[in-house]
Amino acid sequence: MSERRRRGSRKRPPRHKLAHRHEQFVEVCGEITSCIVEVETDPERIDHVWIEIRAGTEGPLRLSLTTTSLIAKRAGIDPRVQVALVTSPWSELPPAGVRAAEAFDYATIEAAERPVEFTAYEREEVEELLCDRSAAAVWVQAWGDLYARDHAGVHQIHSRRASLAVPVDLRGRDGAVQFYFRNPDVRELVLLKFAGQL
């Protein structure tokens, strides 16, 4: 048998059922099953918290939230994440699942919810904030870009405007995460920016 034939006969790993929606801007909702800080042999490379959720019939999904900017750090720019929290009451949970998202823009939220104050957080502080909210929340909602590799998830859960470290300027495609709590029934929208983002 030729080398070409042997190669062609190998079975490819099955594509994830959400692979056709890779990099689509989505809104996802579901119940939180776990929250862990990224596992990495080099502590200097840790820059994510992973929140695992049950997204209805779409099954398990990972929310990948950035906790520090390694790109900014390498460029000598402040790598800290700027965090703002916007709290409001809720009466009904959004349905579980994965849906194409409408435009999502921090500027709209900031115009409606003044003042929205962003505070610089060290990596460990962002990890603590996200893990504490995940442990207490009954539901989570997030906006960002869908990815589907060996697992499905959502990343780019932060402002997509140009920063000091990343010049690409995307409007209407900001990512965020919102936690739902009971007693009282309040939700907390977590907005995440990097140095230089409007």
Side-chain angles (χ1 to χ4, degrees), residues 30-99:
E31 180 185 3
I32 297 171
T33 58
S34 70
C35 179
I36 63 168
V37 175
E38 179 180 17
V39 178
E40 178 61 61
T41 53
D42 180 1
E44 293 300 311
R45 292 181 54 82
I46 295 172
D47 63 342
H48 288 90
V49 159
W50 296 328
I51 301 174
E52 305 284 345
I53 73 170
R54 290 192 193 96
T57 58
E58 302 297 352
L61 199 72
R62 173 181 290 174
L63 306 181
S64 183
L65 290 121
T66 304
T67 55
T68 189
S69 174
L70 297 182
I71 296 172
K73 188 174 183 180
R74 286 192 289 268
I77 298 165
D78 185 353
R80 293 177 299 172
V81 174
Q82 308 280 329
V83 180
L85 306 173
V86 179
T87 304
S88 61
W90 65 270
S91 58
E92 187 175 346
L93 293 172
V98 178
R99 297 173 284 281

Side-chain angles (χ1 to χ4, degrees), residues 5 42 49 52 56 60 122-123 146 150 160 182 184 187:
R5 192 174 237 177
D42 180 1
V49 159
E52 305 284 345
E122 300 291 344
R123 189 199 82 200
L146 183 72
D150 57 334
R160 301 298 303 280
R182 287 202 183 277
R187 57 189 179 183

